[in-house]
Amino acid sequence: MLRIIMALVLTVQGIAHAGPMGFKDSWMAMGDFGPNWRELWVNYALTPRDAVGGGLLYMRSDDKRKTRTLTEATYTRLLHRWNTRESQANVWLLGGIGGVEGNDFSGSKLMVSPGVQLDYETTRMYVSGMARLYRAYRTHGASGLNHDYASVRAGFSFFEADYDETQPWVIVEARRMRALSDKLEVTPMLRLINKGYFIEAGVNNSRQWRFNFMYVF
């Protein structure tokens, strides 16, 4: 019975740990906010494995000279999932297409953003990695853009919690984006999970604040 309860808790909280989409017919809203990176998107789960939505992304270079604003339509696919009694692993395919504007070029460029995310979690441990291309290609003599992005995350919980209890986690993320930053950004964060949402906050190695949230409804 204990293993069954743990599996149910893991299934529910797994949405809040890593998954970029919720259960069938659910909506998910997620935000990631800091001085150089601000992202907000919403998607709708058409099936247990497919979701469509839209997002807004603001990017700024470390020296504050360059900015990018991307508005895109998104698609998420759960490619594969492994379930055991006490753990879960997932492979996600991510994709987006939209228009990007910048303060160092005129007009809008068409940008595509395919990617992949891998994650593994138990009720006490979580690791994930994501790689995503942000590419706007040359058109009519204009130069292209390459802002490829990669991140890894790892964390642990202080204790196991029941479904209706708030569970605290310590999460550390390292990430980097090409052409806008030459630094590896490392951010330790405190995450609080309760049912279908989480919030997390921290300060990175450049002493910049960071706040994230996720909500499934």
Side-chain angles (χ1 to χ4, degrees):
M1 180 60 69
L2 178 59
R3 290 182 180 273
I4 293 174
I5 294 173
M6 289 179 64
L8 290 173
V9 171
L10 178 63
T11 299
V12 173
Q13 291 190 341
I15 297 171
H17 285 181
M21 62 172 284
F23 49 87
K24 184 179 182 299
D25 295 326
S26 70
W27 290 85
M28 171 181 279
M30 195 165 187
D32 185 346
F33 304 101
N36 292 339
W37 179 279
R38 301 167 198 168
E39 183 178 16
L40 177 65
W41 54 261
V42 176
N43 66 24
Y44 175 73
L46 299 170
T47 75
R49 290 180 174 266
D50 301 275
V52 294
L56 298 172
L57 174 59
Y58 168 84
M59 300 168 277
R60 186 179 70 175
S61 61
D62 290 336
D63 61 12
K64 304 180 183 180
R65 293 182 179 180
K66 293 182 181 180
T67 62
R68 304 282 185 261
T69 303
L70 172 64
T71 303
E72 63 176 348
T74 63
Y75 171 70
T76 302
R77 169 72 177 177
L78 175 58
L79 186 64
H80 196 75
R81 169 170 287 166
W82 295 268
N83 276 318
T84 71
R85 291 179 177 179
E86 299 180 4
S87 66
Q88 183 183 99
N90 304 289
V91 179
W92 305 89
L93 294 182
L94 313 169
I97 185 170
V100 61
E101 298 178 351
N103 65 347
D104 58 338
F105 61 87
S106 61
S108 176
K109 299 176 183 287
L110 179 66
M111 176 167 275
V112 295
S113 55
V116 61
Q117 176 176 310
L118 311 175
D119 59 68
Y120 171 81
E121 60 194 87
T122 71
T123 54
R124 293 287 305 279
M125 183 184 72
Y126 163 62
V127 293
S128 72
M130 182 173 69
R132 193 159 184 180
L133 308 182
Y134 286 94
R135 301 283 183 95
Y137 296 96
R138 293 177 179 270
T139 56
H140 307 294
S143 60
L145 300 174
N146 181 336
H147 297 312
D148 294 351
Y149 172 93
S151 69
V152 292
R153 283 184 162 224
F156 66 91
S157 176
F158 297 99
F159 54 84
E160 293 179 1
D162 292 332
Y163 171 69
D164 58 351
E165 295 179 330
T166 299
Q167 186 177 23
W169 286 70
V170 173
I171 303 289
V172 178
E173 181 190 67
R175 66 181 183 179
R176 190 168 184 174
M177 171 167 278
R178 186 171 181 175
L180 291 178
S181 176
D182 57 1
K183 299 178 181 178
L184 180 66
E185 179 187 334
V186 180
T187 311
M189 292 176 282
L190 176 65
R191 173 184 286 187
L192 301 177
I193 296 176
N194 190 301
K195 299 179 182 178
Y197 76 87
F198 75 65
I199 58 173
E200 58 187 21
V203 177
N204 67 19
N205 55 339
S206 296
R207 299 182 180 180
Q208 296 174 327
W209 59 270
R210 181 94 177 271
F211 174 78
N212 303 331
F213 79 90
M214 188 282 302
Y215 181 58
V216 177
F217 53 98

